[in-house]
Amino acid sequence: MHEAPSSEELLGSVIGFLNQVAAPQLSGQAAFHARVAANALALVEREMAQRPTADTRARALFAALLNDEASTLEALNGQVCAQIRSGDLACDNPSLLATLREITSAQLAIDQPSYSGLNP
């Protein structure tokens, strides 16, 4: 039985090719674009690997903050924003700050994993 490579394996192969084979043989703008393409694919790879867990955790954090276990992440996010805008949820609320800090850290781990603020 033939098994196709996974999406993650395919992305890893293309990223490796761009970084280790293509970019070193290119110069100027072409080398720059090869590095940009590899970085974009690495972001997609991190998104695929980390987004489900990050979204599940964000939903749990918002649900606990709002005492709403039934709503979707998108609905909870909207509720948090609305409550902050209306003043019903104070911007200096320790639970809100901890929730936003954790959600933002998870997003940064996907978008910019080498961001120095992620490592205290």
Side-chain angles (χ1 to χ4, degrees), residues 4-16 41 45:
S6 69
S7 298
E8 293 83 5
E9 291 170 326
L10 290 170
L11 280 170
S13 294
V14 174
I15 292 166
L41 291 173
E45 184 177 50

Side-chain angles (χ1 to χ4, degrees), residues 21-93:
V21 178
Q25 295 182 34
L26 299 170
S27 62
Q29 189 175 21
F32 171 77
H33 285 293
R35 288 190 303 277
V36 168
N39 287 337
L41 291 173
L43 181 112
V44 169
E45 184 177 50
R46 291 189 303 274
E47 183 78 28
M48 290 172 58
Q50 298 174 36
R51 175 61 54 210
T53 301
D55 282 355
T56 299
R57 181 65 179 147
R59 190 195 166 285
L61 289 166
F62 281 153
L65 184 68
L66 299 173
N67 196 24
D68 176 354
E69 296 297 327
S71 296
T72 65
L73 174 57
E74 294 76 17
L76 291 166
N77 187 54
Q79 290 176 44
V80 168
C81 292
Q83 287 192 19
I84 291 170
R85 269 193 305 276
S86 71
D88 292 338
L89 190 55
C91 290
D92 61 353
N93 178 304

